[in-house]
Amino acid sequence: LLSGITTNAQGAPVSAPITIQSSAQLDLTSDANGQYSALLPRATYTITATKGGTENGIPVTYRASTSLTLLTEAVVHLRLTKVVTRSSTMTWDASERRTIAAGGSVSYTIVVRNTGNVADTFVFAGSPSEWEFSFSPASVSQDFGDAGTSTVVHVVIQTSPNALVDHGTVQITATSTADDSTVGSVAVLIDIERVRALSTSLATSSAEFDGRRLDYVVLVTNTGNARETVDVTITNPDELAALGWAVQLGTVGGPTSGTTLRNLTVEANQTARVQLVAQTTRGPAGPTVVLHVAAADSSAVSVTRIFTLQLPALAPGGVAVTGPDVTQRVPLDTTRVASLAGAAAAVGAGLF
């Protein structure tokens, strides 16, 4: 036999629905005095009592739960306590939306209201993490339900100097000081003025040379704050051809595709690598290559670089030759050396 009494948090008996669950489930309700009983076989049971109510004009739930292994008669009293929920609503007026330069700041207004079922204190934070957020007041304490009120919170958002146009969601969050849980959030909109700029350089001052062609790696850098799609062009291919040089462009590790590489994507504050291949059978070293990089949608966003095709210089020290019976000195003719030595000796003896 399982029996007991259901009470409220203060210990007063209350009637409440009860669920007794094992391999099967039994539902019953305690009486006005909170008393309940059930004749059950030996087994392990989970016993849960749940009751609804109202506090400060909002619905709340009270619950008690326990488990036991029933071998003989057992008395289980169930004290129902409120199931706490912590939440808040946060609203922002989109008419405050502003466009600023990277590194600038805005001041927005957030309205916060406790929508949980207990009094709570909230503190605030913002993201992206590399931006700075200042809140006034820094924390808000609010009652709940009909006793609660809305609170206006002012936030100053300082963007980072390298903020991107596509900077992701700007999120303001509220956290309960009771358990550090995030209880509410709101997204605000900040537009960053676009800055467009390109630069280009050679990855190294000299090219790789395999005996047939020169391979350069050209760095195309987007120094702006938004993605760019660019075209890379060698603007003087005819002049180079007249000097005996053929040049082509391509992505590093990919095929070359003529003197223009189109629709190269370069993310903000990032660098793309472009391969420049130059081949010649008769041309002199030192011709000038004019490389032009421009945004696909605006010729005004561009950069031009001029550099010289140079064959790699040989390392100092000349050419070394090695191999079987190979020496860097001419071998001596020993017979001729012996003859010369004999003649020298004869002269020294006065025979000549």
Side-chain angles (χ1 to χ4, degrees), residues 2-49:
L2 175 66
S3 63
I5 299 174
T6 55
T7 65
N8 62 18
Q10 292 72 38
V14 293
S15 175
I18 301 171
T19 298
I20 303 174
Q21 191 166 21
S22 183
S23 57
Q25 178 173 309
L26 173 64
D27 295 320
L28 66 154
T29 301
S30 60
D31 62 22
N33 296 317
Q35 295 181 347
Y36 74 94
S37 64
L39 187 61
L40 301 170
R42 294 180 179 181
T44 298
Y45 295 95
T46 298
I47 309 158
T48 303

Side-chain angles (χ1 to χ4, degrees), residues 314-323 326-329:
L314 292 174
V319 178
V321 180
T322 60
V326 176
T327 179
Q328 290 184 335
R329 297 183 179 181

Side-chain angles (χ1 to χ4, degrees), residues 221-243:
T221 301
N222 176 5
T223 55
N225 61 1
R227 174 188 294 175
E228 294 283 5
T229 300
V230 302
D231 296 334
V232 184
T233 304
I234 298 171
T235 61
N236 62 333
D238 294 340
E239 176 186 331
L240 292 168
L243 294 174

